[in-house]
């Protein structure tokens, strides 16, 4: 099987919507009441919302494909996390998900490397990301890239409020 990464375009909005929904449900779906999960997915991963992101020049989304089938994705753009130290020009890894059957083979690392290269294309800058407080594997993964915890916030999924960690990677020369 051949894995390839490519930059998504507006034409990929429906594919990204379906993949983002599938990976979120696979990873976190068991945590939420069905009505809260459905409301979150219908809003966060709506096709029109994905098209808006894909068309925006300040954001980038990549698809990981296995023989042409989308099996992972990541997104990056300007930092929108609620932290007092976020500055204009800081970047954020917005999402990084890979379907379970394609995990632990380096696919996540390949997506992360692609996003990091894009985020740092104009030189060093501070990078941020949010991660669920109980997702220890992801926290270890991001620590290998130099990200450390600097804060928390609540991430709403319907009536549920998840504790998220805010991670930062200082600009490196």
């Amino acid at each position: 099987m051949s894995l390839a990464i490519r930059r998504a375009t507006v034409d990929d909005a429906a594919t990204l919507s379906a993949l983002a929904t599938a990976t979120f449900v696979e990873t976190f779906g068991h945590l939420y009441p069905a009505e809260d999960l459905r409301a979150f997915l219908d809003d966060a991963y709506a096709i029109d919302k994905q098209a808006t992101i894909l068309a925006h020049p300040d954001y980038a989304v990549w698809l990981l494909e296995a023989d042409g089938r989308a099996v992972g994705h990541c997104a990056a753009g300007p930092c929108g996390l609620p932290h007092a130290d976020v500055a204009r020009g800081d970047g954020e890894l917005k999402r990084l998900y890979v379907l379970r059957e394609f995990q632990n083979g380096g696919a996540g690392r390949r997506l992360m490397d692609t996003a990091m290269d894009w985020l740092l294309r104009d030189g060093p800058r501070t990078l941020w990301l949010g991660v669920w407080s109980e997702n220890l594997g992801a926290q270890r993964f991001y620590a290998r890239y130099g990200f450390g915890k600097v804060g928390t916030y609540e991430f709403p999924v319907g009536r549920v409020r998840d504790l998220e960690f805010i991670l930062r990677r200082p600009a490196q020369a």
Side-chain angles (χ1 to χ4, degrees):
M1 175 179 334
S2 171
L3 290 176
I5 295 174
R6 69 174 177 85
R7 178 103 178 245
T9 70
V10 173
D11 293 338
D12 295 307
T15 297
L16 180 59
S17 173
L19 178 61
T21 297
T23 53
F24 189 88
V25 169
E26 184 180 76
T27 307
F28 300 117
H30 65 283
L31 299 172
Y32 310 107
E35 63 275 8
D36 288 337
L37 178 61
R38 177 52 40 209
F40 171 78
L41 296 171
D42 288 348
D43 174 54
Y45 300 137
I47 292 172
D48 62 331
K49 192 170 272 190
Q50 302 314 301
T52 298
I53 292 166
L54 290 166
H56 198 289
D58 293 338
Y59 292 81
V61 179
W62 297 269
L63 295 173
L64 172 70
E65 297 177 324
D67 297 328
R69 173 183 157 222
V71 300
H73 64 104
C74 67
C79 185
L81 289 169
H83 192 281
D85 294 340
V86 170
R88 183 176 175 87
D90 288 356
E92 179 185 349
L93 179 70
K94 306 276 188 185
R95 289 188 249 162
L96 193 160
Y97 288 96
V98 176
L99 288 171
R100 189 172 293 125
E101 68 184 282
F102 295 92
Q103 292 177 6
N104 300 316
R109 179 187 47 76
R110 288 179 57 195
L111 281 169
M112 183 70 172
D113 290 347
T114 299
M116 293 290 287
D117 287 348
W118 184 83
L119 285 163
L120 298 171
R121 69 195 181 282
D122 294 325
R125 66 177 171 158
T126 301
L127 301 179
W128 301 80
L129 61 88
V131 62
W132 183 41
S133 60
E134 296 183 39
N135 191 341
L136 303 179
Q139 292 170 43
R140 286 189 300 272
F141 175 80
Y142 297 132
R144 290 193 295 270
Y145 283 86
F147 286 86
K149 181 183 169 196
V150 294
T152 62
Y153 72 106
E154 289 186 346
F155 183 84
V157 178
R159 294 167 300 200
V160 178
R161 299 292 181 263
D162 288 333
L163 177 63
E164 299 280 314
F165 290 161
I166 296 174
L167 306 184
R168 177 178 60 203
R169 179 182 184 262
Q172 299 173 355

